[in-house]
Amino acid sequence: MLKLASIATATAAAVALTAPAQASVTIDITQDPAPCSITDPICTFDFDAVVQDEGAFEATGTFTLPQFGAASGSITTTASFLNGMLNGNIDFSEIFLIDPNMTVIDFALATIPVGTSELELGAVSFDAIAGEYTLVARGTNSNGPSGFGGDLTFAAVPEPGTWLMMILGFGAIGFAMRGRKENVRRISVNYA
């Protein structure tokens, strides 16, 4: 009997010490223009997710950048007020991007007090490379369903060959304008 009691105690302790399960949430990501391509110098990725269950969650989504350039983005929680109370409250523990080289790019997080609760904000700015990126948001949700959303803006940086052609084009236009001599007549008008 003592052996059975010690097995039951060990099982209860193991269950109590187990880390809580995280809900898996998919981040919906849409592109404008869709798809983002090399011919579009600027494109935006809008994203949003709804966390239905209370407790810990991890949300992920992927998108692809066509070439290197500059990128920046922001994220914020969304919630509604019901009877003066915040319905749904997400507390982010971390938000980050994983680039094609598996480098982690962290969002800077901030908290803004709203009534008796808080809204979470995040921002990021980075030099982007071509390839697939994964957006990961981790945190906890309380007070019912809640969500978060934001955007990432990508601006392509022209390749060196493009810069060279542009500079040569400006030089050719300047040379052509300098070499052109216009025949200008001056007319003077005298009033008596």
Side-chain angles (χ1 to χ4, degrees), residues 6-18:
S6 60
I7 290 174
T9 304
T11 304
V15 169
L17 294 176
T18 304

Side-chain angles (χ1 to χ4, degrees), residues 31-135:
Q31 300 173 18
D32 181 30
C36 187
S37 66
I38 292 176
T39 59
D40 297 311
I42 297 177
C43 55
T44 301
F45 299 88
D46 295 319
F47 58 89
D48 59 58
V50 176
V51 182
Q52 295 290 339
D53 300 326
E54 292 188 11
F57 71 90
E58 177 176 292
T60 59
T62 60
F63 61 95
T64 303
L65 295 179
Q67 65 183 23
F68 68 94
S72 63
S74 63
I75 190 170
T76 185
T77 56
T78 57
S80 60
F81 282 93
L82 183 64
N83 299 328
M85 295 288 294
L86 192 64
N87 184 28
N89 184 22
I90 290 181
D91 293 320
F92 289 120
S93 58
E94 61 181 337
I95 306 168
F96 57 91
L97 290 167
I98 301 173
D99 76 5
N101 293 335
M102 303 308 287
T103 302
V104 174
I105 305 164
D106 290 317
F107 277 68
L109 297 176
T111 303
I112 297 177
V114 177
T116 59
S117 297
E118 299 172 334
L119 290 179
E120 301 277 327
L121 304 171
V124 68
S125 183
F126 61 98
D127 293 329
I129 59 175
E132 185 175 87
Y133 286 76
T134 301
L135 174 63

